Amino acid sequence: VGSMGQPLCPGTCLLLSLLSPPDAEKTPGYWNKGARRRLELALALQPPGDVADEKMGLGQIPGQCMGLSTVSAARIYKGQLAGGSGEESVLAMETFPHVALAKTYTLDRQVPDSAGTGTAYLCGVKANAKTLGLSGAAVYGKCHTTFGNEVDSVLHRARLAGKSVGIVTTTRVQHASPGAAYAHSASRGWYADTNMPKEALRDGCKDIAWQLVHNTDINVILGGGRMYMTPRWTPDPEYPEDADQNGTRKDGRDLIAEWLNAKQVGRGTKHPQHGPLHPPPPDPSIVEMTEKAIRILRRNPNGFFLFVEDEIDHGHHSGRAKQALMEAVMLDRAVARAGELTSPADTLTVVTADHSHVFTFGGSTPRGNSIFGLAPKKAKDKRAYTSILYGNGPGYSIRDGTRPAASLPDKDYRQQAAVPLETETHSGEDVVVLAQGPMAHLFHGVQEQHYIAHAMAYAACLEPYATEPGCRASRRASHGTQCSPQPLLALLALCMAALIVRD
């Protein structure tokens, strides 16, 4: 009851119920309980005939670093690449009818990293920065805090439910965002055993590359990271003359061979470290890899789950906006192609980001101005500046006591930054969540980021929601009939990535 004797609204009661002691946040139960309450509120909005379905396909596209400013700038860039002024352009992901915002903080950071956020939107719990697939009770870099604090991803749960699962990324497959789909690691940097401290190895922790092969039976893996999978000094098959691309494993294991030997059908890592940004031939594009993965995974009559990520993050960190926006446009093309290969009638597709960046554009530029162009008026120092700027990063420059005038940029141009840093940083703002398909209405309002995993799991009748009334009703309705598989497609931007799950 409020101070005026009025009963508090349900939303206020929900808020008060979440105000728990800080230690409660370290337990998965805290986040599971809160997400279930939010699901109950969302289910009250359920349109007639829209029910959870164990045969539904799910898709999640997280955009690593794809904040709203990146989405807006990518929209303009897409339109300008097509010859238009750009502002009126529409990204494929922007045609999705359901929209929400997600809060990206981790338990220990106001501004997050990709490991903590990946654990949230894939595993369903808020966690500490730099840890993968672990609850908040785990401590970064402390191997012994791993055991007993593992949390499973939607991808892992989908595989246990009989679906085919896959990972597609233009970065290394052991990187933080894809790593959260299968690994339980107290450090996101433990790519191979070479990268682990002796204490962690002695205490029984496994490197992320080892976990990629042994934790979850993943059917399709496309991305970089070969060097972490092969024995030390093994020449890379694509770059045999470059010693920097040689294998790094000290245990002598060839994890690629181990994985391929266990598969009848599958694909392996394509690049020794990160995949090149917007790779030229012969490296496949994010669009080509997404299509190939879907065509392989959809052979399973029980459906599939696919995580697709495009590395927008690296362009932003280097202060090179053109690289970042080109990757965002390429990711959107992958979203469009995935839409052509699936149907919103039986596929839930979710596009979101893990976090944003200190990237902005402004300056009263006229309609049709190149997104990479100059502002129409000079700054107070009488020098030109680009519309796109960064709050911090390597683009900071002072020459002869003043800021140099900006010039029209090429693809490697570094936009100017206000604060000098070796690399540009993430930002703490909310990120957009776009959804279409069955149960897409669950994505609404302003949500905690971990809610995304719960909504996808509920929609596909995965644990812990496999026995929910809606799922039981779906099974009864489909009993004895030939149902078309329903995929779960998740596209996330790293700054964008994509996840697809199909029943």
Side-chain angles (χ1 to χ4, degrees):
V1 179
S3 59
M4 300 300 292
Q6 301 292 331
L8 294 174
C9 70
T12 304
C13 294
L14 172 63
L15 175 63
L16 293 175
S17 68
L18 294 179
L19 297 178
S20 303
D23 283 349
E25 295 183 345
K26 297 180 180 180
T27 65
Y30 172 87
W31 301 104
N32 294 339
K33 186 176 181 181
R36 180 176 286 272
R37 288 172 180 165
R38 292 184 177 89
L39 270 173
E40 291 169 354
L41 293 175
L43 288 167
L45 305 174
Q46 180 170 309
D50 195 8
V51 297
D53 190 343
E54 63 176 345
K55 294 294 184 183
M56 178 170 60
L58 298 175
Q60 181 184 14
I61 305 178
Q64 189 189 35
C65 329
M66 191 182 65
L68 285 172
S69 57
T70 297
V71 174
S72 299
R75 176 198 310 135
I76 295 172
Y77 187 36
K78 174 187 177 181
Q80 292 180 348
L81 287 172
S85 66
E87 298 83 4
E88 73 291 342
S89 181
V90 179
L91 296 170
M93 66 184 76
E94 292 178 319
T95 65
F96 291 7
H98 295 276
V99 182
L101 292 175
K103 297 186 283 184
T104 63
Y105 69 92
T106 59
L107 290 189
D108 56 343
R109 288 190 180 182
Q110 188 177 75
V111 177
D113 83 318
S114 298
T117 54
T119 299
Y121 63 68
L122 281 167
C123 302
V125 302
K126 289 269 186 176
N128 291 316
K130 299 185 179 182
T131 65
L132 287 173
L134 300 173
S135 72
V139 179
Y140 168 65
K142 302 296 183 182
C143 168
H144 68 275
T145 66
T146 300
F147 310 110
N149 293 318
E150 300 92 340
V151 287
D152 290 332
S153 72
V154 179
L155 179 144
H156 183 79
R157 285 175 261 165
R159 189 70 185 109
L160 292 179
K163 304 181 192 301
S164 292
V165 298
I167 293 173
V168 169
T169 178
T170 56
T171 185
R172 58 174 70 104
V173 293
Q174 303 87 359
H175 200 260
S177 294
Y182 59 84
H184 310 291
S185 179
S187 173
R188 59 176 287 178
W190 292 349
Y191 298 124
D193 58 348
T194 309
N195 307 109
M196 296 179 66
K198 293 180 180 180
E199 179 184 6
L201 291 170
R202 186 175 62 249
D203 289 346
C205 282
K206 297 294 186 180
D207 61 89
I208 296 170
W210 186 94
Q211 295 187 60
L212 172 66
V213 173
H214 294 283
N215 279 9
T216 303
D217 180 22
I218 303 175
N219 304 94
V220 173
I221 303 171
L222 287 169
R226 258 195 319 249
M227 64 190 304
Y228 308 111
M229 310 286 286
T230 56
R232 214 170 190 178
W233 315 124
T234 302
D236 184 82
E238 191 174 359
Y239 307 101
E241 305 301 323
D242 187 353
D244 290 339
Q245 311 302 331
N246 288 350
T248 65
R249 299 196 64 82
K250 292 189 296 185
D251 60 9
R253 301 182 72 154
D254 185 339
L255 295 176
I256 296 176
E258 290 182 21
W259 183 78
L260 289 173
N261 288 338
K263 302 294 174 188
Q264 293 181 347
V265 178
R267 294 297 184 271
T269 53
K270 70 175 184 69
H271 204 267
Q273 296 190 61
H274 291 293
L277 294 178
H278 187 32
D283 284 330
S285 70
I286 187 71
V287 181
E288 294 168 323
M289 290 192 292
T290 299
E291 176 171 352
K292 186 64 174 180
I294 291 175
R295 291 189 182 278
I296 294 172
L297 295 175
R298 70 182 182 184
R299 299 170 187 168
N300 186 342
N302 292 323
F304 67 86
F305 179 92
L306 174 63
F307 175 92
V308 181
E309 169 197 58
D310 201 353
E311 186 56 61
I312 300 166
D313 195 52
H314 288 177
H316 278 323
H317 278 313
S318 66
R320 294 184 170 98
K322 194 164 189 176
Q323 288 185 1
L325 295 186
M326 187 67 249
E327 291 304 310
V329 170
M330 290 299 295
L331 178 71
D332 192 63
R333 292 175 184 173
V335 173
R337 186 61 183 138
E340 295 168 355
L341 295 168
T342 60
S343 169
D346 61 12
T347 302
L348 172 64
T349 303
V350 181
V351 179
T352 186
D354 54 352
H355 54 72
S356 186
H357 275 257
V358 291
F359 163 90
T360 187
F361 65 100
S364 300
T365 49
R367 179 78 182 270
N369 198 70
S370 169
I371 189 62
F372 306 110
L374 301 175
K377 295 182 180 180
K378 292 184 178 180
K380 191 174 180 180
D381 59 8
K382 308 299 183 185
R383 295 174 182 267
Y385 66 99
T386 55
S387 172
I388 290 178
L389 297 168
Y390 285 94
N392 58 48
Y396 176 90
S397 180
I398 295 293
R399 297 176 189 168
D400 300 323
T402 188
R403 176 183 67 89
S407 59
L408 289 174
D410 59 22
K411 67 180 179 67
D412 292 322
Y413 179 80
R414 275 196 169 114
Q415 278 72 17
Q416 293 180 346
V419 176
L421 291 178
E422 184 175 349
T423 61
E424 178 264 3
T425 71
H426 301 164
S427 67
E429 69 207 42
D430 296 351
V431 295
V432 69
V433 185
L434 302 152
Q436 74 169 4
M439 305 301 287
H441 67 280
L442 296 178
F443 298 93
H444 71 288
V446 180
Q447 303 289 351
E448 297 286 356
Q449 194 172 39
H450 78 290
Y451 172 83
I452 295 171
H454 287 264
M456 289 193 300
Y458 184 93
C461 295
L462 301 176
E463 295 295 340
Y465 304 105
T467 59
E468 291 293 312
C471 293
R472 293 199 299 270
S474 171
R475 292 191 184 96
R476 288 196 299 270
S478 63
H479 182 68
T481 64
Q482 183 64 37
C483 296
S484 56
Q486 297 186 2
L488 170 58
L489 170 62
L491 303 181
L492 300 171
L494 232 173
C495 281
M496 215 176 267
L499 254 169
I500 300 175
V501 178
R502 173 176 177 173
D503 268 337

